[in-house]
Amino acid sequence: MGRNVLAISVTSVAIALGVLLGMSIQTQRNVDSLDALQSQRLSSVKNLLASAQAESKQLKEEHDSLTAQLDQVRNQGGSSPGLLAELDQYRMMAGTVAVQGPGIQITIDDRQQDHKTVFPLTIDDLMVIANTLKFAGAEAISINGQRIVGPTAIVMSGSNKLINQVPISRADGMPYEILAIGNQDQLVDYFSKLEATALKQVGISVSIVRKTVQIPSYKGAYDIRKSS
């Protein structure tokens, strides 16, 4: 009888240890999976940032060239509708004018909730999101009212996130509103597959709405330094 009880106890302990070991292995796999996902997302930031900076420099040079041509035409007492239209296009791409058009509104809430643990959105997350939308063909992007252009810097200052040197967050967290103009289906498809799923896995709430959006102009200064 005593041996049977002992055998049952040993078996129960073995089963419990097996269950705990299985849970531990699965938990580690989940952690490794999330780490790999984050690493993959962050590894693209440098390449996308370099591409954005190169594009910004090119747009600045083309903008300056078109402006010079336009000034020359005006000084000669005329105007060129084609040149004006082309200049307006570059101004929109450079972010120097406010724009409106069909696009998407993304709302991201990383505030802590009673029923789940939430990992706060980082500045790297914001950079990846902006670059993903740009890669998806977005013609204009803003985050909490700040236009995202080539020179845009997204940095931490104390507990606040700054975009274009303007605070866009609070220490206790707040929803983020990201607007993008472009092909709505393509923007939704890219963001949903590349970003929304990963954000939801760390407890962040994400919603996407197709709508006509208004995006403000970039208020900062372009500072393109030529290499010697």
Side-chain angles (χ1 to χ4, degrees), residues 112-131:
Q112 292 294 327
Q113 302 180 31
D114 293 336
H115 63 287
K116 65 179 179 180
T117 300
V118 179
F119 292 88
L121 205 66
T122 68
I123 58 173
D124 289 329
D125 290 327
L126 291 173
M127 286 190 288
V128 172
I129 289 169
N131 283 307

Side-chain angles (χ1 to χ4, degrees), residues 145-165:
Q146 289 299 309
R147 184 75 168 265
I148 305 301
V149 295
T152 291
I154 303 177
V155 299
M156 288 297 299
S157 177
S159 59
N160 282 320
K161 297 179 183 71
L162 306 182
I163 297 182
N164 298 331
Q165 300 183 356

Side-chain angles (χ1 to χ4, degrees), residues 101-107 133 136 138 140-142 177-192 207-215:
I104 62 173
Q105 177 187 50
I106 302 169
T107 302
L133 292 172
I141 303 168
S142 70
E177 182 186 76
I178 302 172
L179 305 177
I181 290 177
N183 183 295
Q184 292 174 318
D185 291 337
Q186 188 164 304
L187 291 172
V188 170
D189 183 59
Y190 273 69
F191 180 77
S192 298
S207 69
I208 311 171
V209 178
R210 292 176 172 84
K211 62 185 297 186
T212 297
V213 299
Q214 294 180 327
I215 297 181

Side-chain angles (χ1 to χ4, degrees), residues 13-60:
V13 170
I15 292 173
L17 288 174
V19 171
L20 290 174
L21 179 60
M23 292 174 62
S24 175
I25 292 173
Q26 184 59 46
T27 299
Q28 185 60 46
R29 286 176 179 171
N30 292 339
V31 170
D32 291 342
S33 177
L34 284 175
D35 287 344
L37 181 62
Q38 290 294 336
S39 177
Q40 181 181 2
R41 294 175 69 239
L42 295 180
S43 67
S44 66
V45 173
K46 291 183 180 180
N47 292 333
L48 290 171
L49 180 59
S51 176
Q53 289 175 336
E55 183 180 355
S56 173
K57 182 177 180 179
Q58 181 181 356
L59 285 174
K60 176 63 167 56

